[in-house]
Amino acid sequence: MESAILLDNYLKTLDGRMSRREAIKTTSKELRELALKQGHDIDDVFRNVNGITFQMHSMESAYCGYTIMKPASKLFLETIDLYHNNKEEFLNLLKEARGELPKLKDNKESFLIWLKDKVSPVQLSELYMAYTTIDEFCIKKKVINESVLNITDSIQISAIEDVVEHNRIFKFENRRELKKIHSAMKYYVSYLNDKLNNQCKGEFNKTNEAEDSTFNKETDINKKVYEIDFDKIDDLSYTKPIFASYFDESILNISSWKQLYVNVFKKLYEDYDDRIPLNTSFNVGNGRMDFCTGKYYSFMVAPRQIDADRYLETNLSATDIVRKIKLLLDICYIDEEHLVIRYEKKINDHVFDNDNVKKRMEKSNESELFYEWLSKEQDMALPTCHSYVSAVNVAQRYALEHGFSHHVLYTKNYDEALSTANELFKDREFTLYNEQQHNRFKASIKKLLLFIESLTFEIDKSCNSVDLETYKEILIEKFPKGYRLGSSLELRKFKRFWEERYNALPNADDEIIVKCIKQCGIVHEEKLYIPQIMLDDETRMKLFSYIRDNFSSGKQIIYFEALFNKFSNDFLGHTIYNADMLRSYLIYMNKDNEYYVDRNFISKEIGVSIEPYDEVKNCLIQQAIPLEYDQLFKILSHIPDQKIRNVLATNAEFISNGRNEYFHISIITLSDDELDDISTIIRNGIEDKHFISGNELIDFIKNKYPYIIEQNAFLSEKGLRGAIAYKLSDTYSFKGNIISKKGQNLSMKEVFVKFCKERESFTLDELKVLKQELETAIYFESVYENSLRVSKNQFVSKKNAQFLPDETDKAIDRFCPDDYIPIGKISYFGTFPYAGFQWNSFLLEHYVAMYSPNYKLIHSNYNENICVGAIVKKTSAINSMDDLIINVLANNKLPLQKEQSLNYLCEEGYLGRRKYHNIEHLLIKAKELRNQKGI
């Protein structure tokens, strides 16, 4: 049945009914639901998208009759045979596989099926026990007389919530399970809200009953404080954080989600900087860089500086911020209970009684007037009036928080409200939200526009009689860089310029003047710009020709970011400063609806959505050779460069060929027989020494199967290694340049560990040979942990160590009266006790690092040729190389300048080269320490 569903969805990709990505997602969902229907327990990995992606390749091979990317399985070949030779039986099998679920018996069964899609089987079991606990207590106390899962009445549910949250006896008896019980109630309330949502039918203006239903639903959650449940992260749109604590320590300055994210991150970075990924995404499935060095700073949309050379991406929604925090907790191995975040909702400010309704509404004259107009002029029921005002509130906040160029609905300016409405209903997310709310927002905004028309008729009449060209002339001449709206100073300047030009003040009040000004051009970020002078004719024609040429050549979308980057040089000296401003300009110029404007791109047709992944893949397949970044950026110029980089970095089928080149796995030529031959080479290498390096593998292929190299001559050695790794990833483990048994995941570090443990002695030259084979640096940390360095060139087994720690430390004491001494300053070893080998700096370095009871080694790293760093007393407060450098610089009398300080650190033997990251920051710290000591 599973293979029948997989084949059917694959066939839909061939006739264009589904994209391949949609088919994979749909198949995964169907197979997971089928397993649940049959009573199987499944986890997150079961038939997930990654697994189905590979199975789809196998089914494709079965259908085509030859291997494309993954060989066909026996089952899939049998399914294809059934499809071709007994179509009726195949369709019956498919029908059986997709049979409808049995009818739900009651609310409880409906809820549990709903819950299965939200939580893991283990969580489902825990939550079910929580409902049993709630039932036993609430029935005993006569709060309810049946299971909570059979109750849908909102008043009874509120009573149960009150018991769970406030009853002291209940909380004491169930204190250990209280978090799970709270989570259980949240899930059930969420389910009831979904159920209520689905029962609401028709638009708000069709029946008062539908409006009252939504109104009651909204008021149920009024003025509540919520706590983040990292196991079930809800939509956090229109919410505001009000409290956060990290290991019971309150986090300050969290008035917005962005502030909270930065401050929480700083706490985590302070404690776990070594675990947090750098120059990549926190989520391997999403390639956008979350945390980076200054080198990649420019790729970020809204970077926030964390330390001297570290930046955090903050261009995230509230919901995405909490998801990122959840990822960080997992990365740092922190239990979620140690980070508490509470928030409140910024919308749904409602009450039931009419006397107080206006006090709880958004404070604006327009909203109050709109409410009165609905009630008195339109003769609507009070709950309906309230619901309409609420819907406009939500829509206006959505436009503001999503950065629309027009984001005001409650205004006397009809054009501004209409522009905001147009942007809202061109936004796909909002349109979907409106459909889910049964066109609630569309009906409310339509009424609002009628209200504004009636309210502003006289103003419009006055403004329409004005010649706007006179306004434009002044704006073009005196405000070429934009007119700042809402500024009384700017208005006074405008009136003064008018008086200078026409020897009289404008014959209109201020409200009419501002309205006329707004009708003259484009409003962006509270400034008005005249489109005629935003770009000169040549640049404007060049821009729109480029857009039309791209659409004519088959491109379906063009990203604003890519478009701005393409014309950034042309825009110099003009008033288009960023991609958002370009978006506003294109919206204004799109009077003939020549294209559709989305939040991030323009498209030829409405509703078009193409993943950059698909375009990058098609491009590389069509070109059939490795392409450099610059070549891809040029071909796909309508996509931002960083999006292309992210796609290449986060999808295994795109293989690096080195030198910033990539190719798609489908263009290589490797038959099943050739892969078997390569697999034999790898297997023999692993049997011989537990692993084989990528370099060794390529050398074997060159000698034994040179035709493989010849038929893939366009690939570098790195590219061929990457392609082999992709093809044989189900059979072997590929980690860096190391190939080992599947599941062993042998790393470079582990290779060096094995090398040391298997030898009684070895030399530095042997380590260098291994280093060359693996194309890596020597992992000295692993070498020192598993062998003993007795001289510059010689290493022996650790069992040969014969140190006398107490006597050796006493010998070091004679050289180190203070907290530390550069390791190179100890060059006379006559007073050191016998250690089995002749004392030297390398043996001393190893002793201090691994054996000394009273001293520790502080250094940047072990070195092939010299010993650098310091021998530091364990009783000192110096615990890192940064601490050491700050102390050294603070205690010498040299000027605290970068070049002189680095020279001194090298000459004294603390550093091996005149370079150290973050040295500027450490110089500041050293100066502070000097001031404290009065040096």
Side-chain angles (χ1 to χ4, degrees):
M1 290 195 290
E2 287 188 321
S3 61
I5 291 173
L6 178 64
L7 174 57
D8 184 59
N9 287 334
Y10 168 70
L11 294 173
K12 289 176 182 176
T13 68
L14 298 182
D15 59 19
R17 284 179 288 164
M18 277 188 184
S19 69
R20 193 179 187 96
R21 181 162 290 189
E22 288 173 334
I24 289 169
K25 282 186 178 179
T26 302
T27 303
S28 174
K29 184 173 183 295
E30 286 192 86
L31 299 193
R32 290 174 66 83
E33 289 176 351
L34 180 62
L36 289 172
K37 177 184 174 183
Q38 295 175 338
H40 298 296
D41 290 334
I42 65 174
D43 57 18
D44 293 341
V45 177
F46 180 85
R47 305 294 188 261
N48 65 8
V49 169
N50 289 338
I52 298 302
T53 300
F54 284 101
Q55 296 302 331
M56 188 71 81
H57 287 311
S58 181
M59 181 61 79
E60 185 176 25
S61 297
Y63 183 81
C64 295
Y66 56 89
T67 298
I68 296 178
M69 289 182 66
K70 183 177 175 62
S73 68
K74 182 181 178 183
L75 173 63
F76 290 175
L77 291 170
E78 291 173 352
T79 306
I80 293 294
D81 182 67
L82 183 68
Y83 171 74
H84 285 304
N85 299 316
N86 195 337
K87 186 69 70 69
E88 184 178 354
E89 185 177 342
F90 173 81
L91 293 175
N92 288 335
L93 178 65
L94 188 62
K95 187 176 181 181
E96 181 184 356
R98 287 178 169 153
E100 292 185 2
L101 292 170
K103 290 185 179 179
L104 303 178
K105 295 179 180 179
D106 54 24
N107 184 73
K108 181 177 180 179
E109 186 176 350
S110 173
F111 166 68
L112 292 175
I113 289 175
W114 176 90
L115 189 58
K116 278 183 179 180
D117 291 332
K118 305 288 188 297
V119 299
S120 68
V122 174
Q123 286 177 299
L124 184 64
S125 177
E126 291 174 345
L127 291 171
Y128 192 87
M129 293 302 297
Y131 295 121
T132 303
T133 302
I134 296 169
D135 288 347
E136 289 174 355
F137 187 89
C138 290
I139 291 173
K140 180 180 177 182
K141 295 296 181 180
K142 297 184 179 179
V143 177
I144 55 178
N145 55 16
E146 60 180 329
S147 171
V148 62
L149 299 184
N150 286 327
I151 294 173
T152 58
D153 180 75
S154 61
I155 296 175
Q156 284 187 284
I157 293 297
S158 296
I160 298 167
E161 284 184 290
D162 187 69
V163 169
V164 169
E165 292 176 9
H166 304 296
N167 188 286
R168 293 183 181 180
I169 298 174
F170 180 85
K171 290 169 70 176
F172 179 79
E173 290 179 349
N174 302 286
R175 56 192 180 278
R176 294 182 179 177
E177 303 297 321
L178 208 55
K179 185 176 179 181
K180 292 175 184 174
I181 291 171
H182 285 156
S183 181
M185 282 306 301
K186 285 181 182 177
Y187 277 115
Y188 189 57
V189 170
S190 178
Y191 160 75
L192 291 177
N193 286 338
D194 281 358
K195 185 177 180 181
L196 178 63
N197 222 12
N198 293 331
Q199 288 171 348
C200 294
K201 295 179 180 180
E203 296 183 1
F204 263 70
N205 60 346
K206 287 186 179 179
T207 63
N208 289 342
E209 289 78 11
E211 292 149 7
D212 292 341
S213 165
T214 304
F215 168 72
N216 289 334
K217 175 186 168 185
E218 290 172 346
T219 55
D220 283 345
I221 60 172
N222 178 48
K223 292 296 283 184
K224 284 189 179 179
V225 174
Y226 300 82
E227 187 170 307
I228 293 295
D229 180 355
F230 288 103
D231 293 326
K232 179 182 179 292
I233 298 173
D234 297 319
D235 182 3
L236 297 171
S237 300
Y238 319 117
T239 63
K240 177 183 178 181
I242 59 173
F243 172 82
S245 68
Y246 175 67
F247 284 92
D248 297 325
E249 178 188 344
S250 294
I251 301 175
L252 304 178
N253 299 322
I254 55 164
S255 59
S256 69
W257 284 108
K258 185 177 292 187
Q259 280 185 323
L260 178 137
Y261 183 40
V262 171
N263 291 337
V264 167
F265 182 84
K266 285 180 177 178
K267 294 285 186 185
L268 298 175
Y269 185 63
E270 184 178 338
D271 294 341
Y272 302 99
D273 61 315
D274 58 325
R275 293 182 183 171
I276 295 177
L278 187 62
N279 297 329
T280 185
S281 168
F282 297 151
N283 181 358
V284 295
N286 174 12
R288 188 171 75 161
M289 238 175 259
D290 285 310
F291 188 48
C292 75
T293 60
K295 180 179 178 182
Y296 300 101
Y297 168 86
S298 60
F299 295 135
M300 287 188 165
V301 178
R304 284 290 296 274
Q305 189 166 5
I306 301 302
D307 67 13
D309 190 45
R310 299 289 186 273
Y311 300 88
L312 179 70
E313 176 62 84
T314 61
N315 183 38
L316 299 164
S317 68
T319 309
D320 286 337
I321 282 172
V322 175
R323 287 174 180 153
K324 292 291 183 186
I325 292 174
K326 161 69 172 169
L327 285 171
L328 284 165
L329 293 177
D330 292 341
I331 289 167
C332 298
Y333 305 114
I334 298 174
D335 291 336
E336 293 162 6
E337 64 188 29
H338 295 310
L339 180 64
V340 177
I341 300 172
R342 298 193 185 106
Y343 64 94
E344 64 182 9
K345 297 199 173 185
K346 296 192 290 185
I347 59 172
N348 297 332
D349 238 4
H350 308 306
V351 289
F352 284 99
D353 58 304
N354 184 45
D355 292 337
N356 293 323
V357 69
K358 293 181 187 179
K359 296 177 184 177
R360 300 293 301 278
M361 264 192 248
E362 195 166 299
K363 298 298 181 182
S364 74
N365 291 332
E366 286 81 5
S367 67
E368 294 180 2
L369 291 170
F370 181 43
Y371 181 88
E372 292 177 2
W373 181 79
L374 291 170
S375 173
K376 295 177 181 179
E377 301 295 328
Q378 300 295 300
D379 199 26
M380 288 186 171
L382 295 183
T384 307
C385 300
H386 190 186
S387 198
Y388 271 49
V389 171
S390 167
V392 175
N393 286 343
V394 173
Q396 182 168 267
R397 296 241 182 134
Y398 185 99
L400 179 63
E401 294 187 5
H402 285 75
F404 289 178
S405 55
H406 299 278
H407 50 256
V408 178
L409 288 170
Y410 281 130
T411 174
K412 294 176 183 177
N413 187 328
Y414 179 86
D415 291 335
E416 178 66 18
L418 180 62
S419 296
T420 303
N422 287 336
E423 281 204 60
L424 282 166
F425 289 102
K426 285 180 179 179
D427 181 271
R428 259 184 275 167
E429 287 183 27
F430 185 81
T431 303
L432 180 61
Y433 187 26
N434 177 61
E435 290 172 358
Q436 292 171 345
Q437 292 287 316
H438 312 288
N439 282 324
R440 169 192 178 198
F441 299 107
K442 189 171 186 179
S444 302
I445 293 173
K446 186 176 180 181
K447 281 288 186 185
L448 178 72
L449 292 172
L450 289 174
F451 162 67
I452 296 173
E453 273 188 323
S454 69
L455 190 68
T456 60
F457 176 75
E458 292 302 321
I459 297 176
D460 286 338
K461 184 177 178 182
S462 301
C463 192
N464 289 337
S465 64
V466 173
D467 180 9
L468 291 181
E469 291 302 318
T470 56
Y471 281 78
K472 290 179 183 178
E473 288 174 5
I474 294 176
L475 290 168
I476 290 171
E477 181 182 344
K478 302 297 184 179
F479 300 91
K481 294 184 178 180
Y483 175 94
R484 191 166 65 257
L485 298 168
S487 167
S488 57
L489 176 62
E490 205 85 325
L491 179 59
R492 286 199 300 272
K493 286 167 61 178
F494 180 88
K495 290 162 71 175
R496 188 177 76 247
F497 293 141
W498 183 288
E499 186 177 15
E500 290 173 356
R501 178 182 288 257
Y502 300 110
N503 297 318
L505 288 171
N507 185 24
D509 60 30
D510 289 353
E511 186 178 9
I512 298 294
I513 293 172
V514 172
K515 180 176 178 61
C516 292
I517 288 173
K518 285 183 178 179
Q519 290 185 353
C520 291
I522 296 168
V523 176
H524 177 75
E525 294 181 351
E526 302 304 322
K527 290 188 77 172
L528 176 123
Y529 300 89
I530 306 299
Q532 290 88 335
I533 61 171
M534 288 179 75
L535 295 177
D536 59 35
D537 291 342
E538 182 182 352
T539 305
R540 183 170 60 254
M541 291 175 63
K542 185 177 178 181
L543 172 66
F544 285 101
S545 294
Y546 177 82
I547 292 172
R548 293 186 185 102
D549 290 346
N550 269 269
F551 286 148
S552 299
S553 68
K555 303 281 193 314
Q556 297 193 55
I557 61 175
I558 304 173
Y559 289 87
F560 295 118
E561 184 183 340
L563 194 56
F564 180 80
N565 290 338
K566 172 73 176 177
F567 284 88
S568 57
N569 289 331
D570 298 277
F571 291 159
L572 291 175
H574 297 88
T575 47
I576 293 184
Y577 307 123
N578 54 46
D580 286 339
M581 201 167 182
L582 176 60
R583 178 181 184 274
S584 298
Y585 179 77
L586 292 175
I587 289 172
Y588 183 90
M589 301 298 288
N590 191 32
K591 296 183 183 295
D592 297 329
N593 295 316
E594 186 178 351
Y595 41 79
Y596 168 70
V597 182
D598 203 303
R599 187 179 306 163
N600 297 312
F601 59 80
I602 58 172
S603 60
K604 184 65 177 173
E605 304 292 339
I606 191 168
V608 172
S609 179
I610 296 180
E611 292 292 330
Y613 159 84
D614 295 320
E615 296 204 64
V616 173
K617 178 180 177 179
N618 292 337
C619 175
L620 286 174
I621 291 175
Q622 289 170 8
Q623 296 295 321
I625 57 171
L627 294 181
E628 294 182 359
Y629 277 145
D630 289 343
Q631 293 172 296
L632 272 169
F633 297 161
K634 185 175 181 180
I635 296 171
L636 303 174
S637 59
H638 60 293
I639 302 176
D641 295 353
Q642 188 56 36
K643 282 187 181 292
I644 297 173
R645 292 179 192 270
N646 292 343
V647 168
L648 295 172
T650 56
N651 292 277
E653 66 203 83
F654 302 117
I655 313 296
S656 171
N657 200 47
R659 303 182 304 281
N660 292 326
E661 280 188 348
Y662 280 85
F663 62 91
H664 189 263
I665 187 64
S666 62
I667 71 170
I668 72 160
T669 305
L670 279 175
S671 67
D672 289 345
D673 290 339
E674 289 165 349
L675 284 171
D676 287 341
D677 292 335
I678 294 171
S679 182
T680 301
I681 294 173
I682 296 173
R683 186 168 57 252
N684 292 338
I686 292 174
E687 289 174 358
D688 180 42
K689 58 177 184 179
H690 306 296
F691 74 93
I692 183 173
S693 73
N695 293 32
E696 289 178 293
L697 175 61
I698 297 300
D699 288 340
F700 276 119
I701 294 173
K702 284 180 179 177
N703 294 329
K704 199 167 184 179
Y705 309 110
Y707 58 88
I708 292 179
I709 304 294
E710 292 170 6
Q711 66 194 15
N712 294 287
F714 53 87
L715 299 184
S716 67
E717 291 185 6
K718 180 180 180 180
L720 183 57
R721 287 201 306 267
I724 292 170
Y726 183 90
K727 292 284 189 179
L728 296 179
S729 60
D730 289 340
T731 310
Y732 301 102
S733 169
F734 293 82
K735 193 166 185 178
N737 201 27
I738 303 295
I739 310 169
S740 57
K741 285 183 180 179
K742 183 66 177 176
Q744 192 172 23
N745 293 323
L746 201 61
S747 65
M748 293 285 192
K749 177 180 177 180
E750 289 165 322
V751 169
F752 278 94
V753 169
K754 282 181 175 291
F755 179 89
C756 296
K757 286 185 174 180
E758 292 172 354
R759 289 163 174 77
E760 281 294 315
S761 67
F762 53 90
T763 65
L764 180 62
D765 290 336
E766 290 177 89
L767 283 176
K768 289 180 178 178
V769 170
L770 181 61
K771 163 187 167 181
Q772 291 171 352
E773 287 179 358
L774 301 179
E775 281 191 348
T776 184
I778 297 175
Y779 280 60
F780 275 112
E781 291 284 351
S782 299
V783 173
Y784 274 61
E785 286 173 5
N786 295 278
S787 62
L788 178 66
R789 190 171 192 176
V790 296
S791 68
K792 178 179 178 180
N793 295 309
Q794 190 68 36
F795 296 81
V796 299
S797 171
K798 291 190 78 171
K799 66 184 180 183
N800 294 314
Q802 300 179 36
F803 295 117
L804 299 173
D806 292 338
E807 294 178 33
T808 305
D809 277 7
K810 286 179 182 177
I812 297 175
D813 288 341
R814 296 186 183 96
F815 293 91
C816 188
D818 300 318
D819 282 344
Y820 56 86
I821 183 174
I823 193 168
K825 294 294 185 182
I826 301 179
S827 57
Y828 173 72
F829 298 98
T831 59
F832 279 67
Y834 180 70
F837 303 92
Q838 184 177 350
W839 279 100
N840 55 68
S841 294
F842 291 97
L843 185 60
L844 176 63
E845 177 186 51
H846 206 146
Y847 166 78
V848 174
M850 303 289 178
Y851 297 94
S852 173
N854 300 313
Y855 289 94
K856 56 190 173 186
L857 179 67
I858 300 291
H859 67 164
S860 296
N861 52 268
Y862 294 108
N863 197 290
E864 286 186 15
N865 301 310
I866 59 172
C867 296
V868 293
I871 299 172
V872 181
K873 289 179 179 177
K874 289 183 177 179
T875 55
S876 78
I878 298 172
N879 296 306
S880 68
M881 195 65 188
D882 283 2
D883 292 342
L884 176 65
I885 289 176
I886 291 169
N887 205 290
V888 169
L889 296 179
N891 288 309
N892 71 61
K893 296 183 180 181
L894 288 173
L896 290 175
Q897 296 175 356
K898 180 178 178 180
E899 187 174 346
Q900 285 180 280
S901 297
L902 288 172
N903 286 338
Y904 177 80
L905 292 169
C906 287
E907 289 166 2
E908 290 296 302
Y910 293 105
L911 294 178
R913 56 178 182 164
R914 288 169 174 77
K915 186 176 182 181
Y916 190 79
H917 80 96
N918 212 20
I919 186 64
E920 293 88 353
H921 179 68
L922 300 186
L923 288 167
I924 295 170
K925 292 289 186 182
K927 186 175 182 180
E928 292 175 0
L929 186 56
R930 275 192 187 181
N931 293 335
Q932 291 171 14
K933 292 184 174 183
I935 300 174

